[in-house]
Amino acid sequence: MTPIKNPKKLIEVALPLDDINEAAGKEKSIRHGHPSTLHLWWARRPLAAARAVIFSQMVNDPGFERSLNRGMKKDLAKIERKRLFEIIRKLVQWDNTTNRAVLDEAQAEIWRSWRETCELNKAHPEAATLFNPDHLPAFHDPFAGGGALPLEGQRLGLESFASDLNPVAVLINKASIEFPPKFAGQPPIGLLLDHDRQSRIEPDWSGTKGLAEDVRRYGSVLRDRAMAKIGHLYPPIQLSKQTKGGTGTVIAWIWARTVKSPNPAFSHVHVPLASTFVLSDKAGREAWVEPVVHGDRYEFVVKKGKLPASAKKGTKLSRGANFQCVLSGSPIEPKYIKEEGGAGRMGSVMMAIVVETNKGNDFIAPDDEQIRLAALVQPEWKPEIKISGSSQYLGILPYGMTRFDQLYTNRQLLALATMCDLVSEVRDMVEVDALKAGLSTDKTSLELGGRGGAAYADAVATYLAFAIDKGADYWNTNTTWMPRGTVGHLFTMHAISMSWDYPEANPFSSIHCGFEEGLNWVAKAIERLPGVGVGSARQQDAQTQEMSMDKVISTDPPYFDNVPYADISDFFYVWMRRSLRTVFPALFGTIAVPKAEELVAARHRHGGRENAEKFFLDGMTHAMHRLSEQAHPSFPITIYYAFKQSDDTDVGTGNTGWETFLEAVIRSGLAISGTWPLRTEREVRSRGIGSNALASSIVLVCRTREASAPSVSRRDFLRELKEELGEAVDAMIGGAEGVSPVAPVDLAQAVIGPGMAIFSKYSAVLEADGKPMTVHSALTLINRMLTEGVEDFDADTQFCLGWFDERGWSPGEFGQADVLARAKGTSVSGVKEAGVIEAGAGKVRLLKPTEYPAEWTPVDDNRTPVWEALHQMIRVLRADGEGESGRLLAGMPQRAEPIRNLAYRLYTLCERKGWAEDARAYNELIASWTGIQAASHEVGHLGSQTKLDI
């Protein structure tokens, strides 16, 4: 077989990580117009990260073989790499997502690399199919989810393909990459309604602007028709005399769940389970509800003024489902509440009404008419679909909420069902208007690839259904009232959590949770979609799909058991199906989202953790094998994995899901050539180390392992690991030209790349008994190599490292210290002479940085271990700042790199052991290193003959 000449891609060599991470972090605060606001999906990757990864996996690294001598090639590579980094820095900025000049520059670079690759392989027998210089390979993501990766592939000029088993995800991808290009440049066809404040006349209907405007216009029609049907259930309300009377629009009714009092004297009364009575905590506008007891009954009154402490805790006694009876003060325990809920005896009581006035929100007590109005509503249809999943993610299950219709008030059910039914009615109106406007009379549906008036109507209907889904996220009984004056939505996390008190929002109000505002969010997201090229999304199982053939692949698979996508996406599916079943009959053919084949390690579905882990490993191995077989041979595969630090193990910071995922990747026939730590979540665990938070995702860079790959012994693997890992770590710590060093908190993850590159390039690493080494064992060895160090520090420092690993700052027996010192080629007395330990009375203890002498200078010290130099630097940094630390470093320039390297080693060791405060000290030094070095250069490297005035 003729070998393919594959230049290394930029992502296999270097990335401007800091710039990508910074842009990804900023993007999380972008709301209006961001594609994530088109429809909610869980654990999306930021567009900045997706765009940078795809670009860098398609662009050749400048260091690949050229007809130049080695020196010239190295210099050219540095210059060219720096230029590519500048393109990425511009590319990842949110403001540049629609900047045509920036996108054109990036696309030109992709084409340049592709034509170089085609030129190298023009003699290959499959050149005509694999290496056509006039056609870029297409992109595919087989676990498309929320669609960030396919969207960015399309934005970078590639034909983009997405597939997922979950129909909700498939429709999100269709709405993002498939529908917009079909109707790009189409002016709006709907009538501009006089009262529609969101609509406007645009002289330019390029791109997706016309489609977005029609979604606004027909959404207004849907809202008006819904108001005509059920508006009487949301009447204006009489305001209090304090607000000068008149009427106002209800924003929300505030309810609390109830159970019968466990006190026998009041067991005939339902009492509230309220986590708080606070309505507003805004300064000068504080308000709360107060239960007033009258014998065996109670009523709520609204109070205003300074908030009492009792208002903040409601009827809660402590965390969880622990409450007290407002009538008797008797405790209401979780077990009792679960029993009542499971028996269907949990109720609700209205506590207050939030009303919109011209002076802001007002709060009034409920009256009999409002309570009667809510009780009268009886929906004709409701989604009586069983909620599947584990109570780990579904906190509602233990309280008897086992069907989706139980998550809503009757008024909410009627509102959602009414709007869903109107989607079909408005869709038909759009089709009639489209034909009048001159769109094609082709009746082919959008699901079957149509592009005419019927398909356009299907597209508008889809986006209207998305707006209703936005409403469903707010119009349910598991939301929360935010005392700042807003309604919180259900999915604040990857779960359906229990809410004890909740707002029933008015869908016709003008605030953020109303239908009109949700519609506007959807329209703004549509406006910023690329709407160019070709896009296609299909429902396919990643284990059997064939869409990846000869495509560039970047994917974001499920994360072991992190997110139960199928279980929680049923929440939206039941309403989508009601709205769009006739539009997408194949996609919504099942009652609920398919679950049996979903690649998630769900214990409840597979009979325990062991079976779930095996299901995930086997299924993910098959899925990864499909990618290995089908991916275009000229490009690495990039795979995101959300690294969740669930526990500390002998591997360091890790979890079973991470190890199982790596095992699946390697078993599939892929070799890992790199790992990049990316900060792709708004919030990540800091493990008590302040702002030094762990990168929330790792991007694996993989290529198919050679079929002829040999096996290797454990001894040879360790030898190769020691030879190559040290150089890789030094490069990460030092940073490539134009790139900041890998953050210390990310080093343990980043080093997995070069370590697993060695491990995975072999068919097997054989243990002494002939059995293949496991991924767990390999990770343990890689981590040990990192924490123990592959650098040759001086003997005193080697002793300190070993003693610190064993004892920390605590004293230990002299005999043990003596044995360790001899093994490291030094002595306890010698280390004591160096000034880094205290030894006496049969005990040995390392000195803390605060115990080091303040008058110390390196030029006067004839025995300065790197350990001493590092901890003196920490002492000075904390006491006097970067400037004085730089002056200290100027007296020992030859120790600069060893000091920094040792700080990284010690940070990793402390982080693994959970020594947060010590880890913080080493991280602070590393974070300040640039400033320290700059100060050092200002002083000048004075050498050992010059005494510093410090």
Side-chain angles (χ1 to χ4, degrees), residues 458-700:
D458 290 345
V460 173
T462 300
Y463 297 117
L464 295 182
F466 280 15
I468 295 170
D469 275 5
K470 278 193 173 300
D473 194 19
Y474 287 99
W475 309 336
N476 63 81
T477 65
N478 292 90
T479 59
T480 53
W481 174 252
M482 314 295 280
R484 66 177 182 268
T486 60
V487 174
H489 66 127
L490 167 60
F491 285 109
T492 57
M493 58 181 71
H494 310 149
I496 300 178
S497 304
M498 188 67 174
S499 287
W500 300 106
D501 41 271
Y502 57 89
E504 181 190 0
N506 179 357
F508 300 108
S509 69
S510 60
I511 67 168
H512 70 284
C513 59
F515 175 78
E516 185 177 11
E517 185 64 14
L519 181 72
N520 200 38
W521 282 79
V522 171
K524 285 182 177 180
I526 296 170
E527 285 176 340
R528 291 188 71 97
L529 295 174
V532 296
V534 175
S536 177
R538 302 176 195 169
Q539 185 180 22
Q540 290 191 357
D541 188 338
Q543 298 180 69
T544 56
Q545 60 84 21
E546 296 183 352
M547 287 180 73
S548 291
M549 187 59 68
D550 296 335
K551 293 183 177 66
V552 179
I553 299 170
S554 185
T555 191
D556 181 21
Y559 315 139
F560 196 64
D561 61 351
N562 257 19
V563 183
Y565 295 99
D567 293 331
I568 57 178
S569 62
D570 270 340
F571 176 87
F572 293 116
Y573 183 87
V574 296
W575 299 113
M576 273 189 174
R577 190 169 188 265
R578 180 79 177 177
S579 300
L580 299 172
R581 189 179 179 187
T582 58
V583 177
F584 301 101
L587 198 58
F588 293 105
T590 56
I591 296 296
V593 171
K595 296 177 179 66
E597 298 85 8
E598 183 189 35
L599 279 178
V600 171
R603 302 181 201 184
H604 69 279
R605 202 176 293 155
H606 300 290
R609 183 177 183 85
E610 187 175 332
N611 288 342
E613 185 175 338
K614 184 179 185 303
F615 170 83
F616 180 83
L617 176 59
D618 292 345
M620 194 58 70
T621 301
H622 288 140
M624 294 296 112
H625 185 64
R626 299 295 291 173
L627 304 189
S628 174
E629 287 182 320
Q630 298 181 57
H632 195 290
S634 285
F635 302 94
I637 298 168
T638 54
I639 306 169
Y640 292 73
Y641 193 84
F643 191 91
K644 181 177 70 171
Q645 294 183 112
S646 60
D647 42 38
D648 288 313
T649 69
D650 56 344
V651 181
T653 53
N655 57 49
T656 302
W658 170 232
E659 293 174 26
T660 305
F661 184 76
L662 282 178
E663 189 81 55
V665 169
I666 292 169
R667 279 192 191 182
S668 73
L670 291 172
I672 298 169
S673 59
T675 55
W676 295 101
L678 293 177
R679 303 182 185 281
T680 59
E681 298 293 332
R682 192 197 309 246
E683 296 178 1
V684 291
R685 278 181 61 190
S686 65
R687 298 181 59 80
I689 307 177
S691 61
N692 189 35
L694 178 74
S696 51
S697 290
I698 297 175
V699 175
L700 302 176

Side-chain angles (χ1 to χ4, degrees), residues 90-101:
K90 289 184 286 185
L91 195 61
V92 297
Q93 298 304 312
W94 166 252
D95 290 341
N96 288 335
T97 49
T98 57
N99 186 321
R100 197 64 258 166

Side-chain angles (χ1 to χ4, degrees), residues 59-376:
V59 171
N60 296 337
D61 179 72
F64 83 88
E65 289 299 326
R66 298 173 184 267
S67 56
L68 298 169
N69 66 52
R70 188 172 181 179
M72 290 178 65
K73 184 177 72 175
K74 188 174 181 180
D75 291 339
L76 179 61
K78 285 183 178 180
I79 296 169
E80 282 291 285
R81 203 172 286 136
K82 190 173 182 180
R83 184 180 65 82
L84 293 176
F85 289 162
E86 285 304 314
I87 293 176
I88 292 175
R89 290 184 179 107
K90 289 184 286 185
L91 195 61
V92 297
Q93 298 304 312
W94 166 252
D95 290 341
N96 288 335
T97 49
T98 57
N99 186 321
R100 197 64 258 166
V102 171
L103 295 174
D104 285 347
E105 183 182 21
Q107 290 175 17
E109 204 60 49
I110 290 171
W111 273 104
R112 178 186 174 199
S113 289
W114 173 238
R115 286 174 177 142
E116 285 179 339
T117 303
C118 292
E119 180 64 23
L120 288 171
N121 291 281
K122 62 184 179 182
H124 193 275
E126 296 182 78
T129 55
L130 287 179
F131 300 103
N132 181 350
D134 298 320
H135 193 273
L136 283 171
F139 174 89
H140 180 225
D141 178 359
F143 293 100
L149 277 60
L151 182 68
E152 293 314 303
Q154 187 177 67
R155 200 186 306 274
L156 288 171
L158 309 179
E159 293 182 10
S160 193
F161 292 82
S163 59
D164 203 293
L165 185 62
N166 192 307
V168 176
V170 172
L171 194 57
I172 293 172
N173 277 274
K174 282 181 175 291
S176 300
I177 65 170
E178 186 176 312
F179 303 163
K182 290 176 181 285
F183 308 110
Q186 169 66 45
I189 61 171
L191 291 176
L192 184 61
L193 303 178
D194 293 337
H195 70 277
D196 188 354
R197 294 172 298 173
Q198 299 296 331
S199 296
R200 63 206 185 285
I201 300 297
E202 282 271 358
D204 172 22
W205 296 111
S206 61
T208 53
K209 293 175 184 175
L211 177 60
E213 181 63 17
D214 267 339
V215 169
R216 284 191 183 93
R217 295 181 184 183
Y218 288 103
S220 291
V221 172
L222 189 150
R223 180 189 181 279
D224 289 350
R225 293 188 180 186
M227 188 68 176
K229 287 176 178 287
I230 60 173
H232 62 282
L233 299 176
Y234 305 89
I237 197 164
Q238 189 67 39
L239 298 175
S240 63
K241 292 181 180 179
Q242 288 86 343
T243 55
K244 298 183 179 180
T247 60
T249 301
V250 174
I251 290 176
W253 294 267
I254 309 297
W255 298 81
R257 300 190 196 278
T258 62
V259 293
K260 287 185 177 181
S261 172
N263 187 310
F266 301 99
S267 60
H268 60 291
V269 182
H270 268 255
V271 293
L273 308 174
S275 61
T276 181
F277 286 141
V278 177
L279 298 173
S280 173
D281 59 8
K282 289 183 177 180
R285 299 182 64 86
E286 294 91 342
W288 71 98
V289 294
E290 187 171 283
V292 179
V293 176
H294 306 284
D296 65 348
R297 67 183 182 85
Y298 60 92
E299 63 177 336
F300 290 105
V301 296
V302 172
K303 300 274 189 168
K304 297 177 182 179
K306 184 178 179 181
L307 291 172
S310 58
K312 296 178 182 179
K313 63 180 184 178
T315 62
K316 256 186 165 304
L317 287 176
S318 60
R319 287 175 58 86
N322 288 284
F323 295 86
Q324 65 179 349
C325 171
V326 294
L327 300 179
S328 65
S330 301
I332 308 175
E333 297 179 345
K335 181 180 178 182
Y336 176 79
I337 297 173
K338 290 174 183 177
E339 288 173 352
E340 291 296 289
R345 293 192 291 268
M346 189 177 286
S348 59
V349 61
M350 191 184 297
M351 296 196 298
I353 305 173
V354 188
V355 186
E356 184 179 26
T357 75
N358 56 8
K359 293 184 178 181
N361 293 345
D362 190 20
F363 305 94
I364 63 175
D367 58 32
D368 292 341
E369 177 60 22
Q370 291 295 323
I371 294 170
R372 186 192 68 81
L373 189 64
L376 283 176

Side-chain angles (χ1 to χ4, degrees), residues 809 835 838 845-854 875:
W809 305 112
E838 178 183 80
R845 179 180 67 85
L846 285 165
L847 297 177
K848 293 184 177 181
T850 54
E851 297 177 282
Y852 280 55
R875 177 189 64 78

Side-chain angles (χ1 to χ4, degrees), residues 793-804 806-807 813-834 836-837 839 844-846 863:
F793 294 116
D794 58 85
D796 291 348
T797 297
Q798 292 283 5
F799 165 83
C800 294
L801 267 169
W803 194 248
F804 186 69
E806 184 176 337
R807 305 294 308 174
E813 297 296 328
F814 178 88
Q816 294 176 336
D818 184 55
V819 171
L820 178 62
R822 292 175 186 273
K824 298 299 184 183
T826 185
S827 64
V828 174
S829 61
V831 181
K832 182 179 180 181
E833 181 186 336
V836 294
I837 64 170
V844 174
R845 179 180 67 85
L846 285 165
R863 184 167 183 163

Side-chain angles (χ1 to χ4, degrees), residues 743-893:
V745 70
D746 296 332
L747 186 61
Q749 296 176 57
V751 80
I752 291 171
M756 293 307 293
I758 298 169
F759 179 78
S760 61
K761 73 180 181 180
Y762 295 109
S763 60
V765 174
L766 302 177
E767 299 279 16
D769 60 2
K771 293 181 180 178
M773 181 183 288
T774 64
V775 165
H776 177 86
S777 296
L779 288 173
T780 303
L781 293 172
I782 294 166
N783 182 71
R784 187 180 302 161
M785 197 75 71
L786 178 63
T787 55
E788 291 180 359
V790 292
E791 174 143 359
D792 293 326
F793 294 116
D794 58 85
D796 291 348
T797 297
Q798 292 283 5
F799 165 83
C800 294
L801 267 169
W803 194 248
F804 186 69
D805 189 11
E806 184 176 337
R807 305 294 308 174
W809 305 112
S810 302
E813 297 296 328
F814 178 88
Q816 294 176 336
D818 184 55
V819 171
L820 178 62
R822 292 175 186 273
K824 298 299 184 183
T826 185
S827 64
V828 174
S829 61
V831 181
K832 182 179 180 181
E833 181 186 336
V836 294
I837 64 170
E838 178 183 80
K843 298 289 184 179
V844 174
R845 179 180 67 85
L846 285 165
L847 297 177
K848 293 184 177 181
T850 54
E851 297 177 282
Y852 280 55
E855 67 277 5
W856 180 84
T857 69
V859 294
D860 288 339
D861 192 341
N862 294 324
R863 184 167 183 163
T864 305
V866 175
W867 181 275
E868 180 184 22
L870 166 64
H871 290 88
Q872 283 284 7
M873 291 279 292
I874 289 173
R875 177 189 64 78
V876 174
L877 177 65
R878 288 194 155 181
D880 303 309
E882 292 180 359
E884 290 304 307
S885 298
R887 291 173 64 82
L888 195 66
L889 183 62
M892 46 182 178

